[in-house]
Amino acid sequence: MTFRWAMLAPVLTITGVAVGFPLGYALYLSLTDYRLTSRGAPDFVGLDNYFFVLTDPRMWNAFSNTAIYVIVAVALQTVLGLAIALALQKQKWARDLTRAMLLAPMFITPIAVGLTFRFLLNDQLGAIPAALRTIGISYDFFGPSNALVTLAFIDVWQWTPFMVLLLLAGLESIPRQPLEAARVDGASAWYTFRRVVLPLLTPVLTVAILLRSLDALKVFEYVYATTRGGPGTATETIQYFTYQTGIQFFRLGEASAVAFVLLAIVMTLIVILFRRLQRSAAR
């Protein structure tokens, strides 16, 4: 064994045990009819679980809910995060205090955030609906047509600071020369932002959107703490669907198949976004 492989061996071993074994075992389960309530060894069923979940309307409803949730949450976080980062970049006083206060929501566990908003937004007991009723506005945050958007707004409240952090670092790393050249040429603030700042910020923006999208795809705590997938299946996301299939209904084989379908979709998105990032960086 060469010195290089001898140095890499511990890392590869730990990675193989910590990552490879769970993935391999989940892949094995996805090819069997394993149920927690069944005794004996599970039977090998091949790709039957994959065919079943891919033709299950409830799985596609969960996938659709997750896609809407990710698009609404990440789009709002990107716009708000960029606006706040631009404002913070120009702040002259109490900068450190402002940034520390802004990051506070990120340090609260998502399950605690979900429970807090569950009581704040409750139609009967919540403080926010009660305050809205005093000015003549009646709004059911967890109604059938509003619940999914409400969950996306909870995500925006907690994770916009993450976007601010990344985009602020990107803004402060932009070289001053192009900005000074635009100012000398008499370019307006909007033109400078659109033609100079935004193109230079694109790599950071792409990575920030990619990271938040991947994290938002895993949404489970907000759903579990607030709506439990309801009303009906209006807020049933792909992670909650996997939880119900595997843990509540004991069908671990099918739940593992759902997880691998999601993994394939996420890997495809990552490859596409990184290729776009490389193309934009090469220009």
Side-chain angles (χ1 to χ4, degrees):
M1 180 183 293
T2 63
F3 177 77
R4 182 178 62 178
W5 287 109
M7 294 296 290
L8 287 174
V11 176
L12 294 176
T13 304
I14 293 172
T15 303
V17 173
V19 179
F21 176 73
L23 277 178
Y25 187 66
L27 180 62
Y28 160 73
L29 289 180
S30 73
L31 301 174
T32 69
D33 63 350
Y34 184 69
R35 292 175 180 242
L36 285 174
T37 53
S38 301
R39 295 182 177 179
D43 294 326
F44 182 78
V45 295
L47 298 177
D48 286 359
N49 288 330
Y50 290 91
F51 289 127
F52 177 77
V53 298
L54 287 173
T55 55
D56 185 358
R58 193 174 163 190
M59 184 268 186
W60 289 110
N61 174 70
F63 182 80
S64 172
N65 287 341
T66 307
I68 293 171
Y69 174 89
V70 171
I71 291 170
V72 172
V74 176
L76 287 174
Q77 287 165 19
T78 304
V79 173
L80 288 174
L82 185 56
I84 296 172
L86 287 168
L88 287 179
Q89 191 187 21
K90 296 178 181 178
Q91 187 182 11
K92 301 297 182 186
W93 51 273
R95 298 177 60 180
D96 295 338
L97 178 63
T98 305
R99 295 178 188 190
M101 292 176 62
L102 193 68
L103 298 179
M106 290 173 54
F107 301 114
I108 307 173
T109 59
I111 192 74
V113 172
L115 287 171
T116 301
F117 276 97
R118 175 184 175 183
F119 292 108
L120 273 177
L121 302 177
N122 184 279
D123 190 42
Q124 302 298 322
L125 307 171
I128 294 177
L132 291 176
R133 278 195 292 271
T134 60
I135 57 174
I137 298 175
S138 179
Y139 187 83
D140 184 4
F141 286 94
F142 295 122
S145 58
N146 306 326
L148 190 60
V149 177
T150 299
L151 293 182
F153 273 98
I154 295 174
D155 193 282
V156 169
W157 179 85
Q158 182 165 30
W159 293 109
T160 295
F162 177 79
M163 297 293 275
V164 174
L165 199 64
L166 288 183
L167 297 180
L168 186 59
L171 287 171
E172 293 184 344
S173 67
I174 292 177
R176 308 304 302 172
Q177 292 85 350
L179 300 176
E180 290 294 330
R183 187 179 64 80
V184 171
D185 291 342
S188 65
W190 171 245
Y191 186 89
T192 303
F193 171 75
R194 192 162 55 92
R195 293 293 188 180
V196 180
V197 175
L198 207 52
L200 292 173
L201 195 63
T202 298
V204 177
L205 204 55
T206 306
V207 171
I209 292 172
L210 176 63
L211 292 177
R212 275 305 305 139
S213 299
L214 293 178
D215 192 52
L217 274 172
K218 299 186 302 180
V219 59
F220 172 79
E221 294 91 342
Y222 302 148
V223 180
Y224 185 81
T226 56
T227 62
R228 301 290 175 99
T233 58
T235 59
E236 189 176 67
T237 60
I238 197 72
Q239 296 292 353
Y240 193 76
F241 175 71
T242 307
Y243 160 78
Q244 280 197 314
T245 304
I247 304 301
Q248 290 193 336
F249 303 145
F250 309 122
R251 306 198 303 258
L252 283 184
E254 294 164 17
S256 300
V258 176
F260 272 93
V261 169
L262 180 62
L263 178 64
I265 294 171
V266 170
M267 294 292 288
T268 304
L269 288 175
I270 290 175
V271 170
I272 293 172
L273 286 173
F274 268 105
R275 284 188 175 178
R276 285 182 175 272
L277 180 62
Q278 289 174 342
R279 287 176 186 169
S280 63
R283 289 174 185 169

